[in-house]
């Protein structure tokens, strides 16, 4: 059977069908080898960039800045510690000055106390009770005032001799006492807030023979 001759309409339809088939064709995907090659190239470019002089200079600068920061932190800590030490020393000096500001004044008052004590001891039988009581009250008032400002008496009779607080005026043999025992107090000593103002003048025992 003979094929029907194509009309111009048939030709146009056939041409449009061919164009549609061409547009629906899918582009081929890249092969795995191409992807691996691109990745390797990217890594090589990154390594090459890190080996450039600019990158090395930047890394060195960063390291230098980090070291400088650590040094600055260390210096700041040292400065703060030194400032704290200076402040502590200043506070200690101020406290010391406050405690012992009266030392010279106390030394000037001690002879007055000594005189009152000697006057009380020297009173004979002819002294009136009022006279004796007046001197005793004055002495007590003086000692109370000294105690109020941190002054203490050192009266070591019967105690072991201590060269830090006692001054030995004589050594006397005494078989009834242990050697280096304070037998007699010739003059009392005094402390100001625990610090020696005047040592006690004492007579110390020594072994007989």
């Amino acid at each position: 059977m003979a094929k029907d001759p194509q009309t111009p309409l048939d030709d146009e339809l056939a041409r449009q069908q061919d164009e549609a088939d061409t547009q629906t064709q899918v582009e081929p995907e890249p092969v795995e080898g191409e992807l691996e090659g691109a990745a390797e190239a990217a890594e090589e470019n990154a390594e090459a960039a890190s080996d450039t002089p600019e990158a090395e200079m930047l890394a060195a600068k960063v390291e230098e800045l980090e070291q400088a920061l650590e040094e600055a932190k260390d210096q700041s800590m040292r400065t703060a510690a030194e400032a704290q030490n200076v402040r502590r020393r200043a506070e200690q000096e101020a406290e010391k000055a406050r405690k012992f500001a009266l030392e010279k004044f106390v030394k000037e008052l001690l002879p007055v106390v000594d005189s009152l004590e000697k006057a009380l001891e020297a009173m004979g039988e002819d002294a009136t009770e009022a006279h004796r009581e007046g001197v005793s009250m004055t002495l007590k008032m003086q000692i109370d005032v000294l105690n109020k400002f941190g002054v203490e008496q050192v009266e070591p009779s019967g105690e072991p001799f201590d060269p830090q607080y006692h001054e030995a005026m004589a050594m006397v043999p005494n078989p009834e006492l242990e050697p280096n025992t304070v037998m007699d107090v010739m003059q009392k000593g005094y402390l100001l807030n625990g610090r020696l103002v005047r040592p006690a003048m004492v007579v110390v025992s020594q072994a007989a023979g």
Side-chain angles (χ1 to χ4, degrees):
M1 182 177 179
K3 186 177 181 181
D4 294 335
Q6 295 182 344
T7 64
L9 179 58
D10 294 333
D11 291 339
E12 182 62 23
L13 291 174
R15 186 181 62 79
Q16 292 180 0
Q17 184 65 36
D18 290 341
E19 290 179 355
D21 293 340
T22 301
Q23 292 177 357
T24 56
Q25 289 180 358
V26 179
E27 293 292 332
E29 297 181 356
V31 295
E32 184 178 353
E34 292 178 352
L35 293 176
E36 292 179 353
E40 292 177 356
E43 290 179 359
E44 291 177 356
N45 292 336
E47 292 178 358
S50 64
D51 293 337
T52 59
E54 291 79 2
E56 293 179 355
M57 291 177 60
L58 181 60
K61 188 64 176 177
V62 170
E63 184 178 356
E64 180 182 350
L65 291 174
E66 289 178 348
Q67 183 177 358
L69 179 60
E70 290 298 324
E71 292 177 355
K73 288 181 179 179
D74 183 67
Q75 183 63 31
S76 177
M77 293 177 63
R78 290 175 182 272
T79 302
E82 181 62 24
Q84 185 176 2
N85 291 335
V86 170
R87 183 170 62 254
R88 186 181 297 112
R89 286 195 296 268
E91 291 174 353
Q92 291 174 350
E93 290 296 328
E95 180 66 15
K96 184 178 179 181
R98 184 188 67 79
K99 282 185 175 181
F100 304 114
L102 296 176
E103 182 173 357
K104 186 175 180 181
F105 180 65
V106 169
K107 287 182 177 180
E108 295 295 329
L109 283 180
L110 293 183
V112 178
V113 177
D114 296 338
S115 297
L116 290 172
E117 288 179 340
K118 292 183 183 303
L120 190 60
E121 292 173 1
M123 285 183 179
E125 296 295 333
D126 56 342
T128 64
E129 186 65 25
H131 188 194
R132 188 185 302 275
E133 185 176 352
V135 174
S136 178
M137 289 294 296
T138 303
L139 175 61
K140 184 178 183 302
M141 290 175 61
Q142 285 275 25
I143 294 176
D144 288 345
V145 170
L146 291 174
N147 291 340
K148 182 178 179 180
F149 289 94
V151 179
E152 303 173 61
Q153 282 188 338
V154 178
E155 208 288 320
S157 182
E159 299 178 1
F161 175 75
D162 187 346
Q164 292 185 347
Y165 299 101
H166 311 151
E167 182 179 352
M169 305 304 294
M171 300 285 291
V172 178
N174 190 333
E176 297 180 0
L177 295 175
E178 290 290 331
N180 293 322
T181 299
V182 176
M183 295 174 50
D184 188 26
V185 179
M186 301 175 64
Q187 187 181 70
K188 294 177 182 178
Y190 288 88
L191 304 173
L192 174 60
N193 291 314
R195 187 167 77 179
L196 185 67
V197 175
R198 188 182 75 181
M201 296 182 181
V202 299
V203 178
V204 183
S205 66
Q206 64 180 8

